[in-house]
Amino acid sequence: MKGKSLIFAGASVALAIVMISCGNKQSTETPAANAPAANSAGKPVDPSTAGTVTGTIKLDGAAPKMKVINMAAEPSCNKQHTEPAMTEDVVTGPGGTLQNVIVYLKGDFSQYSFPPAAAPTTIDQKGCQYHPHVLALMTGAPLQVTNSDPTTHNIHPVPKNNREWNESQPPGATPINQSFAREEIAVPVKCNVHPWMKAYIGVLATPYFEVTGKDGSFTIKNVPPGTYTVSAWHELYGSSEQPVTIGPSESKSVNMTFKANAPAD
Amino acid sequence: MSTPPTAPPTNRNVHRFAVFTACCTFLLLIAGALVTSNDAGLSVPDWPLSYGSLTPPMVGGIFYEHGHRVIAACVGLLSIILAVWLWRVETRRWVRWLGVAAVGAVIAQGILGGITVLFFLPAPISAAHATLAQLFFCTVVSIAFFTSAWWQRQRPSVRDAGAPGIHALAQAAAIATLAQLVLGAAFRHKAFGIIPHLFGAVVVTGLIFWLAGVLKRRFADVPELRNCARVLHGLIGLQLLLGGAAWWSRSYSAQFPQPIPVMVTFTVVHTVTGALVLAATVLTALACYRLVGRSDAFAIRAGASGSSQPQQAAL
């Protein structure tokens, strides 16, 4: 009797371990019913009447000083930097232009359909930093993660509205392909092996977005005529919005400014 | 004062091995705390293997996470050896089963650790993992205590005439300390904020000072209990200072892009000192049960013998 109990207990523990080991292989994620603003059965945007929204994002006030990242724990990355690696929370250019801002349009795009992304959006791990630091892609669009470092990374997005995943990527490994099913501004990404590594991925239901470059500018093309909200998101300063109305084939400029001392939303 | 033993003492080597296991478990607690403080819990995405192997590259957070797993495996092995050894040589059945319970706890602890990795550190599971670690440590420390010559030597029993009884007070301090460690683990794993942990600190500090004061006043002539009081005073004072330092260092380190050594040091030392406080309250409670007889039992004995002199306690 005792022997049977022991066998049962052992089997239970083994079963628990097997169940746990399989537990993280989650089923395919389905998009939230209310998330997409686009309609897969809708019509394509007419390029002859589509307009453009351009603009520049700036920072009002002195940008906080970025911190030096101590990479002593990872010599293979440390020696890739001729100058000390710095954090990228706030990157400004001449005249206070603000880099790494996700600018996107909010509005009713339910009558339109958008073609799937032709190429995957790539994020690379190089010098124990993510390149780019901020990126954006459409829901369901392919995300490709590459590792250019001679060391192992784990890429670990921590979304609130999407499925969390955590995958390791040794040096020279094949790229990791993933996607996000639901809109989310923005998904923080981290590497637990190198805790200073941080990135943000904006996931949007339409192709009307861009991440600002060094000059803080953005250009959102092929926008159907209508009234929208231009929304800008920054990892430290949060969100800022401004309305815009685009007429047929019209191009509008929308400039926005974040206050340097404003807390994030 | 010392009297001959009334039962064959446990093999002295078993006791030494139990002490060794307890020391290794303390190292495991340090390793676990280092994982959390370095935010390295998910640096190894798979479990039970690490990057599909037993020898992953020991870089960055992997060093802490895989190191924790290796030490945990060693402690698990030590626990199994201890349980088998106790089963073979120990005459007290309940001590044998305590060894088995320790093995059960270490297996459960391993599974909880696996769940935390595979399900991305769910706060309740992570807090349960941290709490079970403390309970396992106390179990092994208790086994070391029960197998010691001191525990098995027949001791003169002393009387506790005060109220509340020292047994109840020592129990309350141990239980409150455990509850405080649960609150601390929950805060550390972001299940909720600092306020419950601060409130718990007030309660535990009050109870431990009360217990230590009572031990000093009522049992001034019992050196073991006097020493317990000293240890409790010292540990709770140190832990309060470490708690403040840990809080300051966490706030200070928020401006840095990565965990900084001062934060890691203070939070780890605060966490493992919490384990020492719990072990100290548990051992104090056990020592009280071992040395202090119940008042009603004394009343009966004193009435029967016509004397209020200390009596010999049973094992």
Side-chain angles (χ1 to χ4, degrees):
Chain A
M1 195 64 187
K2 271 186 180 175
K4 280 184 180 174
S5 300
L6 282 173
I7 290 168
F8 178 75
S12 301
V13 170
L15 183 65
I17 291 170
V18 169
M19 286 174 71
I20 291 162
S21 300
C22 299
N24 68 334
K25 294 171 181 61
Q26 296 179 16
S27 58
T28 309
E29 194 175 21
T30 53
N34 59 348
N39 175 7
S40 59
K43 60 182 180 182
V45 176
D46 179 5
S48 65
T49 60
T52 303
V53 181
T54 60
T56 303
I57 309 294
K58 287 189 173 180
L59 183 68
D60 179 16
K65 207 174 170 184
M66 292 298 94
K67 305 283 181 188
V68 173
I69 298 171
N70 180 2
M71 290 191 188
E74 186 57 76
S76 67
C77 284
N78 207 16
K79 66 184 179 191
Q80 291 183 51
H81 297 272
T82 51
E83 291 179 2
M86 307 295 285
T87 54
E88 298 171 280
D89 306 8
V90 182
V91 182
T92 53
T97 55
L98 190 58
Q99 191 179 341
N100 292 330
V101 178
I102 301 174
V103 185
Y104 59 102
L105 296 186
K106 285 181 181 175
D108 181 12
F109 296 100
S110 57
Q111 59 184 306
Y112 301 105
S113 66
F114 304 107
T121 304
T122 300
I123 182 169
D124 187 29
Q125 297 154 107
K126 187 171 171 53
C128 286
Q129 286 185 297
Y130 289 114
H131 300 279
H133 177 63
V134 176
L135 63 155
L137 73 173
M138 274 184 72
T139 50
L143 170 71
Q144 191 171 71
V145 186
T146 56
N147 181 8
S148 300
D149 279 330
T151 189
T152 298
H153 291 291
N154 76 298
I155 182 155
H156 178 203
V158 192
K160 288 182 177 158
N161 197 29
N162 281 281
R163 179 179 61 87
E164 188 171 349
W165 50 273
N166 180 20
E167 290 190 33
S168 58
Q169 197 170 36
T174 53
I176 294 170
N177 293 300
Q178 283 281 355
S179 64
F180 296 94
R182 299 182 181 91
E183 249 191 326
E184 187 167 348
I185 306 290
V187 179
V189 179
K190 60 182 183 178
C191 171
N192 303 92
V193 179
H194 308 102
W196 59 83
M197 288 177 69
K198 292 181 180 74
Y200 294 89
I201 300 176
V203 186
L204 295 125
T206 73
Y208 301 120
F209 58 82
E210 190 161 274
V211 180
T212 59
K214 284 181 182 171
D215 61 356
S217 70
F218 66 92
T219 302
I220 300 174
K221 295 176 183 170
N222 201 34
V223 181
T227 298
Y228 308 103
T229 301
V230 181
S231 190
W233 176 91
H234 184 268
E235 63 180 277
L236 194 63
Y237 300 119
S239 295
S240 181
E241 294 186 339
Q242 208 166 299
V244 65
T245 298
I246 301 291
S249 303
E250 193 178 13
S251 182
K252 281 272 180 76
S253 178
V254 176
N255 298 316
M256 297 168 81
T257 302
F258 285 99
K259 294 274 185 195
N261 55 356
D265 289 354
Chain B
M1 283 289 271
S2 65
T3 52
T6 56
T10 307
N11 184 323
R12 198 174 266 189
N13 288 332
V14 177
H15 168 65
R16 289 185 184 132
F17 189 76
V19 171
F20 176 68
T21 306
C23 292
C24 291
T25 306
F26 188 70
L27 283 181
L28 177 58
L29 291 180
I30 294 173
L34 278 169
V35 170
T36 305
S37 290
N38 283 290
D39 192 20
L42 293 176
S43 58
V44 181
D46 53 337
W47 181 89
L49 291 175
S50 299
Y51 289 82
S53 107
L54 293 172
T55 53
M58 296 294 270
V59 294
I62 303 172
F63 172 80
Y64 298 107
E65 172 61 18
H66 186 68
H68 177 49
R69 293 184 187 188
V70 170
I71 297 172
C74 292
V75 168
L77 193 63
L78 292 175
S79 307
I80 292 169
I81 294 170
L82 179 62
V84 171
W85 200 344
L86 284 171
W87 200 265
R88 290 174 64 89
V89 303
E90 177 59 54
T91 55
R92 293 165 294 178
R93 195 175 168 193
W94 60 274
V95 177
R96 292 205 304 265
W97 279 106
L98 199 57
V100 174
V103 173
V106 84
I107 290 171
Q109 183 68 343
I111 292 173
L112 280 178
I115 294 174
T116 61
V117 168
L118 298 176
F119 291 88
F120 316 114
L121 305 180
I125 302 296
S126 298
H129 183 62
T131 305
L132 187 54
Q134 310 271 0
L135 287 174
F136 173 73
F137 177 57
C138 283
T139 305
V140 178
V141 167
S142 300
I143 290 173
F145 196 34
F146 294 141
T147 52
S148 67
W150 184 92
W151 180 270
Q152 292 175 88
R153 200 179 305 137
Q154 194 178 44
R155 312 293 298 181
S157 188
V158 291
R159 184 175 183 174
D160 177 23
I166 195 66
H167 292 169
L169 193 52
Q171 260 185 49
I175 291 168
T177 305
L178 176 63
Q180 169 67 345
L181 292 181
V182 174
L183 295 176
F187 165 64
R188 200 157 148 76
H189 293 282
K190 301 181 177 66
F192 44 68
I194 186 73
I195 300 298
H197 188 51
L198 289 178
F199 178 74
V202 173
V203 172
V204 168
T205 304
L207 271 173
I208 286 183
F209 269 92
W210 188 8
L211 171 63
V214 167
L215 288 173
K216 280 187 172 174
R217 282 195 305 275
R218 286 189 209 163
F219 306 103
D221 53 348
V222 183
E224 290 95 333
L225 296 184
R226 265 204 332 267
N227 287 337
C228 283
R230 285 196 192 105
V231 170
L232 288 173
H233 267 146
L235 279 176
I236 196 67
L238 176 65
Q239 182 66 342
L240 287 173
L241 289 174
L242 287 169
W247 175 249
W248 165 80
S249 66
R250 277 175 76 109
S251 308
Y252 176 68
S253 73
Q255 62 181 305
F256 292 93
Q258 62 212 93
I260 56 173
V262 67
M263 183 277 284
V264 172
T265 304
F266 279 130
T267 51
V268 168
V269 176
H270 180 56
T271 302
V272 297
T273 304
L276 290 179
V277 173
L278 178 64
T281 55
V282 168
L283 291 183
T284 299
L286 293 174
C288 287
Y289 274 97
R290 191 72 194 90
L291 293 174
V292 183
R294 285 188 302 200
S295 298
D296 52 349
F298 267 91
I300 293 165
R301 287 181 191 174
S305 63
S307 162
S308 61
Q309 292 300 308
Q311 306 291 307
Q312 300 297 311
L315 256 179

